[in-house]
């Protein structure tokens, strides 16, 4: 696909999206994500990352999110996580919150915790408050504006 994209730049986006879609339909989400990440300097990087990681997260949100966290550049991580985190939060916000608590400090952790806690808050207010009360004093949630999350 990389060679075809170089030889036919006008069709590069269509070829890339077709490859990502085909790999996703075959269940090879990791290869689709790898292709998208290799194209992170192309004009279509955002579209490729978003497409690959959204497909993957619909089937395996935790695996997709953890893969997105390992992407090389902050921009690639951001685009991929914006595709995976909301899906995981919709499916299992408690699991996302628990995993995100241990993410390295930074915007990725803030995004994951904020989205997870907001989704969990809507599903189970008491469990969310109990979880926050357990972890907030340890500093594990220091990257999240809890007032924003829980009092909106």
């Amino acid at each position: 696909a990389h060679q075809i994209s170089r030889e036919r730049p006008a069709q590069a986006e269509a070829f890339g999206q077709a490859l990502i879609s085909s790999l996703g339909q075959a269940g090879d989400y990791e290869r689709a994500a790898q292709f998208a990440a290799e194209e992170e300097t192309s004009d279509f990087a955002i579209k490729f990352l978003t497409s690959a990681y959204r497909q993957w997260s619909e089937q395996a949100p935790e695996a997709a999110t953890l893969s997105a966290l390992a992407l090389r550049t902050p921009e690639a991580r951001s685009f991929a996580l914006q595709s995976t985190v909301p899906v995981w939060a919709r499916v299992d916000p408690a699991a996302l919150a628990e995993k995100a608590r241990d993410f390295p400090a930074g915007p990725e952790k803030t995004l994951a915790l904020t989205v997870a806690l907001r989704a969990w808050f809507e599903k189970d207010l008491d469990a969310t408050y109990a979880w926050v009360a357990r972890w907030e004093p340890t500093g594990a949630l220091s990257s999240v504006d809890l007032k924003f999350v829980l009092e909106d």
Side-chain angles (χ1 to χ4, degrees):
H2 298 296
Q3 183 177 346
I4 293 171
S5 294
R6 283 189 298 277
E7 292 172 1
R8 296 181 171 181
Q11 289 88 22
E13 181 181 7
F15 286 137
Q17 290 289 18
L19 177 61
I20 290 167
S21 178
S22 295
L23 289 168
Q25 288 173 2
D28 199 348
Y29 305 110
E30 196 166 340
R31 270 185 62 202
Q34 181 181 7
F35 168 78
E38 289 170 359
E39 292 293 316
E40 70 182 33
T41 60
S42 81
D43 294 338
F44 315 112
I46 295 169
K47 291 179 182 179
F48 289 169
L49 285 164
T50 300
S51 180
Y53 278 93
R54 183 175 299 128
Q55 259 185 148
W56 192 357
S57 68
E58 290 294 337
Q59 301 304 314
E62 181 176 358
T65 300
L66 296 179
S67 171
L69 277 173
L71 289 171
R72 197 168 31 107
T73 67
E75 295 82 14
R77 279 193 303 274
S78 176
F79 291 124
L81 286 169
Q82 289 175 38
S83 296
T84 64
V85 166
V87 175
W88 193 0
R90 184 184 73 233
V91 174
D92 191 350
L96 173 56
E98 193 62 37
K99 194 66 139 179
R101 179 179 55 84
D102 295 325
F103 288 1
E108 295 89 359
K109 180 176 186 167
T110 301
L111 170 72
L113 280 171
T114 301
V115 172
L117 291 174
R118 291 191 117 203
W120 195 6
F121 180 75
E122 291 179 17
K123 285 186 173 186
D124 188 344
L125 175 66
D126 293 336
T128 308
Y129 273 120
W131 189 87
V132 167
R134 186 175 73 218
W135 290 110
E136 201 275 328
T138 69
L141 307 180
S142 61
S143 66
V144 178
D145 182 352
L146 293 173
K147 183 177 180 182
F148 169 75
V149 171
L150 300 175
E151 293 181 1
D152 186 35

